[in-house]
Amino acid sequence: MILRALVLLVFSLCAVPSFAAWPVDDTSELVEVGTAFELADGPAWDGGSFLYIPDVKGETLYRYNPATKEITPFLKEAGRISASHFNHGKLYLSDNANARIDILIGKERTTLANLDDSEKPEKRPNDLVVDNFGGVYVTLTKQNQVVYITAAGQVSVAVEEIISPNGITISPDEKTLYVSAYGPKEVWSYDITDAGKTVPGKLFAKMDAGPDKGADGMTIDRAGNVYCTGPAHVWIWSPDGTLLHKIETPTRPINCAFGDNTMQSLYITCFGGVYQQKMLISGRSPQPPATPELQGNLQSKPSTVIPEEIQFQPDMVYATYGQRKLLLDLFTPQHGTESKPAIVVVHGGGWLNGDKSKFRSLSIELAKRGYLVAAIEYRLGGEAPFPAGIHDCNAAVRYLRANAVTFGIDPAKIGAVGGSAGGHLVGLMATGWENKELQGDGGYPDQSSRLQAAVVMAGPMEMTTGSVAERSRNPKSNIWLAGTIDEQPDLYALADAHLQINDKSSPILFMVGEHDNPARNQPSRDKLKANNVWTDVKIYADGKHGCWNQLPWQTEMVADMDQYFQAQFK
């Protein structure tokens, strides 16, 4: 707790930290999830409700529901599954005994690739990780290799001559592959030059010397910190290989993965059971389903399928702070004018949770209307308190403007859309763009972060008064602003988009559901009008908080956004 307090103190004094943030929630203890396993191995979160846990010796795939705390068999006689990974709406399984990589959709199981079809297979897959486009990296421990399997099932060697490769994970920008060497208790890093292709590796980190072997399963968080299970701990290193922390486990850990709707629980499989540790930095959410069949009920859920007429470039680096790389997903229409208007999409989640992939459908719909869309991640409160998040948002605008020629953007036509906490950040972008304290040093300081138009969907503008200020007095709610309104009045004033309003503020269209406090932000609308800044509000019948990510509301809201942006971009 003392170390974490010192870290937060430095965060509050430094606008942009250049070191890795403290990853573990020290206020929470390691919790036992369940022990009814013969040997639990590589778990996987499905992006929605369940954690899948393969029991290698029990040859059963279990499913854990964090909401009900129930662990139930999902697939009996599953075989000796040594690892799992969920992505694109599919569960990928490493079938060690049968030397296969399988895909599970519901309970329908198919084989992506057979690595060794001999009667007594030698090439038995151990662990695996799935990239943004459905390619699978797999460790072959006995062969000292990592192979890559394309989404079409073609197999090639990605890494050679690594001693007893075991665990595997990939960096958030998918430029680096990390592989644990079980015997030497080492972690190696490999630069990825193309899908399935790497350059010779470098020693990334090494566990303490000792008689026990065991650099085992791995995962990674959104900040790029690398996690690897060892003989008695889960080891956590920053992106440059600096040891940050070791989580001690009751028995020897085998593998680990992030899960829960916030992606802020680290689930650890051990000899003897499965355990959960709350984290401050969240893990990486799976990519949404890539086909309509995988998505389920489309009557209420907007599609996340990317149409052929849109070029999708995920996890592009738009800002760098020391070791921390901030990422965006770029959606580029392949039609229309060469010089397109651009929209920055900022997700919600109370400044402490959320992920850019949660606004995937909204981003697609805007791109279909001819806008280049950048759905951004930003540093959440557990990783770095305010003003880090707004620094990131403004850095994203400067990045787009600086690369306007490359991306085919009209630099004089850049807008932003945000929902809930993301709505607050967009409101602050619109009203505080002249405030140097809100800019940070994420890159391109010669570029302006001014928006030509902003859409605030049910986000608060006022921080020094109202519900946000009142909730700040709850110790569990004030981590984003590193204190209460009483302790940090100047910081709350800096975060207050309403206070920043002047005659140079950007136009703001407010959007809100009928049942989501439509009177919210009326003082800001009045103040904008008093300063001769265009503003309006759209209220959506029967809409609740978050209706922008649901049908039928999203359809109407995107149409209104399009009409508004076209008018402001003239």
Side-chain angles (χ1 to χ4, degrees):
M1 285 296 292
I2 294 174
L3 179 55
R4 167 154 164 73
L6 289 173
V7 170
L8 284 176
L9 175 61
V10 175
F11 271 137
S12 66
L13 295 175
C14 301
V16 181
S18 60
F19 51 87
W22 187 252
V24 182
D25 184 351
D26 291 325
T27 65
S28 299
E29 296 181 352
L30 192 70
V31 175
E32 180 185 290
V33 172
T35 57
F37 305 95
E38 292 186 47
L39 183 62
D41 209 325
W45 178 251
D46 71 354
S49 303
F50 298 105
L51 181 79
Y52 290 89
I53 308 167
D55 186 341
V56 184
K57 289 186 178 180
E59 299 193 10
T60 301
L61 180 66
Y62 287 91
R63 199 165 71 168
Y64 170 64
N65 185 340
T68 63
K69 309 297 183 186
E70 294 179 327
I71 301 173
T72 55
F74 182 73
L75 193 66
K76 296 182 179 179
E77 299 181 359
R80 294 179 66 86
I81 305 301
S82 57
S84 61
H85 190 99
F86 194 92
N87 215 0
H88 310 287
K90 308 173 186 178
L91 183 66
Y92 294 76
L93 302 173
S94 177
D95 188 337
N96 182 270
N98 295 306
R100 298 193 313 245
I101 300 300
D102 288 349
I103 293 175
L104 197 65
I105 301 174
K107 290 192 176 182
E108 183 179 345
R109 185 170 175 176
T110 59
T111 296
L112 175 65
N114 193 329
L115 302 175
D116 188 339
D117 59 4
S118 59
E119 186 175 339
K120 294 183 178 180
E122 294 289 325
K123 294 183 178 180
R124 297 177 183 269
N126 192 335
D127 209 343
L128 77 168
V129 66
V130 183
D131 67 20
N132 281 333
F133 297 98
V136 188
Y137 292 91
V138 182
T139 54
L140 300 180
T141 305
K142 190 173 182 180
Q143 285 71 35
N144 297 326
Q145 289 181 333
V146 175
V147 296
Y148 182 74
I149 306 169
T150 68
Q154 298 173 320
V155 182
S156 61
V157 176
V159 173
E160 299 233 45
E161 298 181 355
I162 175 172
I163 299 173
S164 56
N166 193 338
I168 190 166
T169 193
I170 193 169
S171 63
D173 64 354
E174 302 217 336
K175 299 296 185 185
T176 307
L177 188 70
Y178 297 97
V179 185
S180 68
Y182 179 80
K185 291 194 295 187
E186 298 171 343
V187 175
W188 286 73
S189 64
Y190 299 84
D191 291 343
I192 299 172
T193 58
D194 201 356
K197 299 184 184 300
T198 66
V199 299
K202 296 175 288 187
L203 180 62
F204 173 74
K206 190 174 178 66
M207 295 177 177
D208 293 339
D212 296 329
K213 297 181 179 180
D216 213 321
M218 301 179 70
T219 191
I220 201 160
D221 65 27
R222 61 184 284 155
N225 298 318
V226 178
Y227 297 63
C228 185
T229 54
H233 301 84
V234 178
W235 294 60
I236 309 173
W237 295 278
S238 68
D240 70 353
T242 300
L243 181 63
L244 297 177
H245 192 60
K246 293 192 291 185
I247 301 172
E248 186 174 0
T249 51
T251 56
R252 178 177 158 186
I254 302 171
N255 215 319
C256 56
F258 282 89
D260 294 352
N261 288 331
T262 64
M263 293 300 288
Q264 287 181 322
S265 288
L266 183 70
Y267 287 97
I268 308 166
T269 56
C270 300
F271 282 88
V274 178
Y275 299 85
Q276 174 199 36
Q277 173 64 57
K278 289 291 185 181
M279 307 299 290
L280 293 172
I281 303 177
S282 58
R284 300 266 295 154
S285 294
Q287 288 286 347
T291 64
E293 299 77 26
L294 295 173
Q295 191 168 340
N297 181 15
L298 291 178
Q299 291 184 340
S300 62
K301 203 183 298 183
S303 175
T304 57
V305 179
I306 299 169
E308 292 183 1
E309 66 268 22
I310 295 174
Q311 181 187 14
F312 176 52
Q313 296 170 272
D315 294 325
M316 298 176 65
V317 178
Y318 73 84
T320 303
Y321 305 96
Q323 302 174 53
R324 179 62 158 105
K325 298 176 180 178
L326 274 296
L327 307 177
L328 60 78
D329 293 342
L330 200 66
F331 303 80
T332 306
Q334 300 301 292
H335 58 80
T337 61
E338 291 184 4
S339 185
K340 298 177 176 62
I343 306 296
V344 175
V345 172
V346 186
H347 70 80
W351 305 284
L352 301 177
N353 305 308
D355 181 85
K356 57 185 168 61
S357 67
K358 304 305 181 186
F359 278 41
R360 175 67 53 84
S361 60
L362 180 65
S363 299
I364 290 170
E365 290 304 313
L366 286 168
K368 285 164 66 174
R369 290 175 177 265
Y371 301 96
L372 180 142
V373 178
I376 68 169
E377 70 169 5
Y378 54 91
R379 286 169 292 173
L380 301 173
E383 179 183 353
F386 180 84
I390 189 63
H391 287 176
D392 302 339
C393 294
N394 284 324
V397 178
R398 297 196 304 270
Y399 170 80
L400 293 179
R401 196 158 268 137
N403 291 279
V405 174
T406 301
F407 296 143
I409 296 172
D410 184 339
K413 297 179 180 179
I414 298 180
V417 174
S420 195
H424 161 260
L425 289 168
V426 168
L428 192 56
M429 293 165 73
T431 65
W433 64 271
E434 290 182 294
N435 192 329
K436 292 183 179 179
E437 292 184 73
L438 299 176
Q439 295 304 312
D441 59 359
Y444 305 102
D446 57 321
Q447 297 292 331
S448 170
S449 65
R450 185 175 192 178
L451 299 173
Q452 278 64 59
V455 174
V456 173
M457 300 185 296
M461 295 286 283
E462 298 170 83
M463 306 295 281
T464 57
T465 57
S467 61
V468 174
E470 288 302 316
R471 287 200 306 270
S472 79
R473 296 184 173 97
N474 179 344
K476 294 183 179 180
S477 301
N478 63 32
I479 184 173
W480 185 63
L481 282 160
T484 69
I485 178 65
D486 309 302
E487 297 165 338
Q488 298 276 13
D490 292 342
L491 197 63
Y492 277 73
L494 182 63
D496 195 307
H498 176 80
L499 292 180
Q500 311 276 343
I501 293 173
N502 59 43
D503 60 0
K504 294 182 180 178
S505 295
S506 304
I508 302 177
L509 173 63
F510 293 89
M511 291 184 164
V512 62
E514 178 186 5
H515 304 298
D516 191 14
N517 187 16
R520 181 196 290 116
N521 300 326
Q522 186 61 52
S524 293
R525 292 192 285 274
D526 294 340
K527 189 174 179 181
L528 286 164
K529 290 177 181 178
N531 279 275
N532 295 314
V533 177
W534 188 97
T535 189
D536 200 358
V537 61
K538 295 279 188 180
I539 300 171
Y540 297 90
D542 296 322
K544 298 180 181 179
H545 197 69
C547 61
W548 49 83
N549 276 335
Q550 300 173 345
L551 295 177
W553 297 279
Q554 186 183 95
T555 302
E556 184 180 356
M557 295 173 83
V558 169
D560 288 340
M561 289 178 200
D562 184 29
Q563 184 179 32
Y564 162 67
F565 284 131
Q566 286 192 47
Q568 296 299 328
F569 289 159
K570 284 183 179 178

